[in-house]
Amino acid sequence: MNQVDQSDRREQDDVFDLRKFLNDVWAVRKPVLLSVLIVTVGYWGFRVYQLFIVSSLITHSYVIHFTFQGVDEGRYPNGMRFDTSDLIAPNLLGQIYEASGLSDEEISQSDFIRNFSVLPHSPTYAIIKKKYDILLEKADLQPSEIRKLHQEMELEISQIQNRSAKLLFKSKWGKITKEKLKNIMLSVPRHWSSNMINKHGVLELDISVISKSLFEQSTYKNLDYIIALDLLQTNIQIFLKSISELQKVPSSKRVVEPETGYYLADLEKLLLDVNNYDLRLLTATVQASGTTNKVAEVSLYYEYEIDRLNREKNYETVQISFLEKTLQHYTNQTTHILSNNNAVDNPADMIQASGDFLDKISDLIKQSEDLKYKQKIYDQILEHNENLAFIDLEIAHKQALLTALQNVPNEKIRQTQLAYIDAQFPLLLSKIRDYLDVFHRFHSLLNKENFGYDTALYRIDSDKITSESIIDSSDLVGYATGVVAISLATLVIALIARYMKERD
């Protein structure tokens, strides 16, 4: 019975102690609440001070997707190197700053340029990485297979990093209005796209476009007809070369020029006809009979040209001799080395003598490289020989002109020939200019055919700009931590003070 009474008494004492503790805590509530109030005012007051007085930088961003052909390889459609940093080139951002009407009170031009940045945006990076990690976990992979998988992973990651980017801009809170900030950020890719298309021609085929000035009459005005026809023939060859380059574009064979109904092959045939018939007729009239207004000057010009061609011929001859000696010396050396390596006739003995089968494989690889090197020299010798043949042809042609200039026709025939040339030469130039107009239209058509009529280099999913929150999770965590710590510290100190007071 006594044990039961003692147990009940202890329970009563416990209940009494807990009630007393709660009463004590309630009694010191004012200091605790005051400390919480002080922390709240101090913490958020400091944050307001940062925003309004110190003016903290807030980050704004959005994602840009690049849509042009070649972006995976880091190239623009015309082959120029592409880098996401092109979007925030200082001169481009300087133009945007001037156009946006920003003032120094809002942000200075140097800060405006410095506060822009661009980062790769790869939402599928983790998926790709996980895919290759699974493949690389296989136990039976050979070193070459592991190396190949790493290369494939790096290539795939590089490609996706080129496809999208995140544009970021930091500005002081409240300095630039939301609407102006949005317009500025959205104008960055728009200005970049316009600049790259219109100034750098990234949507243009990387094929030379011949200027009409090459076939204007003023270009040939002060030249004697013999020299003028030589120049015209050279310019027509340049024109034909440009047509050949344009014919290499995949869709060039099926594109029809709407104004004339020509295919590109038709244009090439028409220009060849001009070169082989119209121009040749005029050239024969002038060069075969040596019709010229300035015999001495023209003769001196062609003598100089023949001397220049002879110097080029000597250079080509020296190059051929040098390459042949190099090839002979190299062949002698390799033959000596191979004869020493092949001292054992039996293939099995050869492998055994080498010490390792891999040495034999290495020898075979070296022999393959040896053949490639020899072939390269042979190709160079062939190229120089072709140049020699062309130079000999040019020398013979110019020598024939010099001979013709010694047989000047009588004045009546000469005047008749000059009158004929005066009438036909401008017509010939006009015909070539018309063909050049057709070529320019083909060039434009093939640009659209290959790169599409949409001249945008990018797209955005939304025109919404994501801005960094003024109050983020770290602020809330910091505030909550401070409140809890100060509250507990104040509570403990207040309780200790109360117990000390009661004891006294």
Side-chain angles (χ1 to χ4, degrees):
M1 185 68 181
N2 290 334
Q3 291 179 353
V4 173
D5 292 341
Q6 290 176 359
S7 177
D8 291 341
R9 193 175 295 114
R10 276 198 301 270
E11 289 179 3
Q12 290 176 0
D13 291 341
D14 291 342
V15 171
F16 177 79
D17 290 341
L18 177 60
R19 185 180 298 165
K20 184 177 184 302
F21 175 76
L22 292 175
N23 286 335
D24 289 342
V25 170
W26 180 252
V28 297
R29 67 187 182 279
K30 290 182 179 179
V32 173
L33 291 174
L34 181 61
S35 67
V36 170
L37 180 62
I38 292 172
V39 169
T40 301
V41 172
Y43 186 88
W44 295 115
F46 177 72
R47 289 294 293 130
V48 170
Y49 169 79
Q50 283 186 316
L51 290 172
F52 287 95
I53 307 301
V54 180
S55 296
S56 296
L57 295 176
I58 306 298
T59 302
H60 315 274
S61 65
Y62 70 101
V63 175
I64 303 167
H65 304 283
F66 303 107
T67 58
F68 53 87
Q69 180 184 355
V71 67
D72 285 349
E73 293 78 31
R75 297 283 174 185
Y76 288 103
N78 71 337
M80 279 179 57
R81 186 187 65 83
F82 164 70
D83 195 291
T84 52
S85 61
D86 294 345
L87 274 78
I88 55 172
N91 60 338
L92 184 67
L93 294 179
Q95 295 170 11
I96 294 173
Y97 180 87
E98 296 294 336
S100 62
L102 288 168
S103 63
D104 286 338
E105 287 72 20
E106 293 171 304
I107 186 172
S108 66
Q109 183 170 343
S110 59
D111 286 340
F112 179 81
I113 295 172
R114 185 169 54 252
N115 289 351
F116 269 101
S117 60
V118 63
L119 297 174
H121 179 71
S122 309
T124 59
Y125 172 85
I127 299 173
I128 295 171
K129 187 76 168 59
K130 185 176 181 180
K131 179 183 75 173
Y132 281 99
D133 285 343
I134 293 171
L135 293 173
L136 289 166
E137 285 175 359
K138 295 180 180 179
D140 57 344
L141 288 177
Q142 298 296 321
S144 60
E145 293 175 322
I146 295 174
R147 194 161 48 248
K148 184 179 179 182
L149 283 173
H150 276 294
Q151 291 173 349
E152 290 175 356
M153 181 178 68
E154 290 172 4
L155 176 62
E156 195 166 342
I157 290 174
S158 173
Q159 288 176 346
I160 64 167
Q161 286 179 337
N162 285 334
R163 292 173 189 167
S164 301
K166 180 177 283 190
L167 183 70
L168 303 99
F169 176 63
K170 294 181 178 180
S171 66
K172 292 181 179 179
W173 187 82
K175 286 290 184 178
I176 305 175
T177 64
K178 287 184 178 180
E179 192 61 31
K180 182 179 284 190
L181 182 67
K182 177 181 177 181
N183 291 334
I184 289 170
M185 292 198 70
L186 292 176
S187 71
V188 170
R190 189 166 60 247
H191 275 75
W192 159 76
S193 178
S194 175
N195 187 60
M196 298 309 296
I197 291 170
N198 299 323
K199 184 176 179 180
H200 297 284
V202 297
L203 289 185
E204 295 289 327
L205 293 167
D206 192 18
I207 294 172
S208 56
V209 179
I210 307 302
S211 170
K212 267 191 174 183
S213 62
L214 291 182
F215 302 102
E216 294 289 350
Q217 195 161 354
S218 57
T219 304
Y220 307 88
K221 182 178 180 181
N222 297 322
L223 299 176
D224 191 271
Y225 275 123
I226 290 182
I227 299 175
L229 289 169
D230 254 3
L231 176 60
L232 180 58
Q233 188 171 32
T234 300
N235 289 340
I236 288 176
Q237 293 303 318
I238 295 173
F239 191 176
L240 286 168
K241 184 178 178 181
S242 294
I243 293 176
S244 296
E245 290 177 359
L246 202 58
Q247 286 176 322
K248 295 175 184 177
V249 176
S251 54
S252 63
K253 294 181 180 179
R254 59 181 176 82
V255 173
V256 179
E257 201 283 305
E259 292 188 28
T260 58
Y262 292 158
Y263 287 92
L264 199 54
D266 297 330
L267 179 62
E268 182 183 39
K269 177 64 170 60
L270 289 168
L271 192 59
L272 283 171
D273 288 344
V274 167
N275 185 68
N276 295 335
Y277 299 100
D278 301 57
L279 180 60
R280 192 168 293 176
L281 180 60
L282 283 181
T283 303
T285 303
V286 172
Q287 294 182 353
S289 58
T291 303
T292 177
N293 290 318
K294 304 172 183 177
V295 176
E297 290 83 347
V298 173
S299 297
L300 183 62
Y301 169 77
Y302 281 111
E303 286 171 0
Y304 171 80
E305 282 295 291
I306 291 172
D307 184 56
R308 179 183 63 80
L309 288 169
N310 278 320
R311 289 196 299 272
E312 289 185 12
K313 182 178 179 179
N314 290 336
Y315 170 79
E316 297 291 340
T317 304
V318 169
Q319 289 296 309
I320 292 171
S321 176
F322 171 75
L323 288 169
E324 287 175 344
K325 288 178 181 178
T326 301
L327 180 61
Q328 183 63 40
H329 178 70
Y330 179 78
T331 302
N332 291 339
Q333 280 191 325
T334 52
T335 302
H336 177 70
I337 293 171
L338 289 174
S339 64
N340 290 336
N341 290 341
N342 294 332
V344 182
D345 294 333
N346 189 334
D349 293 339
M350 182 188 300
I351 296 171
Q352 185 178 2
S354 65
D356 192 348
F357 179 70
L358 291 176
D359 290 342
K360 178 58 180 174
I361 299 298
S362 177
D363 289 340
L364 291 174
I365 293 172
K366 289 177 181 178
Q367 289 179 26
S368 175
E369 294 298 324
D370 170 68
L371 291 174
K372 288 180 181 178
Y373 179 71
K374 288 181 178 179
Q375 186 60 51
K376 182 179 178 181
I377 295 180
Y378 282 129
D379 291 341
Q380 290 177 345
I381 291 173
L382 179 62
E383 182 182 351
H384 285 294
N385 275 313
E386 288 175 350
N387 292 341
L388 267 181
F390 178 77
I391 291 171
D392 284 335
L393 183 64
E394 285 292 299
I395 290 174
H397 173 67
K398 288 175 171 44
Q399 189 61 56
L401 285 173
L402 273 178
T403 303
L405 288 172
Q406 309 306 317
N407 304 318
V408 180
N410 63 56
E411 187 60 24
K412 184 177 180 180
I413 296 174
R414 179 175 171 276
Q415 290 299 326
T416 302
Q417 291 174 337
L418 287 175
Y420 173 75
I421 296 167
D422 285 336
Q424 294 300 316
F425 194 73
L427 296 177
L428 181 57
L429 290 176
S430 177
K431 183 186 289 187
I432 297 173
R433 287 197 300 272
D434 290 341
Y435 293 157
L436 189 56
D437 287 336
V438 177
F439 174 79
H440 287 168
R441 292 197 292 271
F442 266 116
H443 192 276
S444 178
L445 283 169
L446 286 170
N447 282 329
K448 293 177 181 178
E449 183 75 19
N450 282 275
F451 305 133
Y453 288 86
D454 181 10
T455 56
L457 299 176
Y458 71 98
R459 67 173 175 82
I460 55 176
D461 295 329
S462 170
D463 61 357
K464 182 180 179 182
I465 305 298
T466 303
S467 297
E468 185 181 55
S469 177
I470 297 174
I471 301 174
D472 57 22
S473 59
S474 63
D475 291 323
L476 296 176
V477 170
Y479 170 68
T481 303
V483 167
V484 171
I486 294 297
S487 298
L488 290 174
T490 305
L491 179 62
V492 170
I493 293 170
L495 286 173
I496 292 172
R498 182 175 177 82
Y499 288 146
M500 293 294 291
K501 185 177 180 181
E502 288 179 353
R503 179 175 292 184
D504 293 340

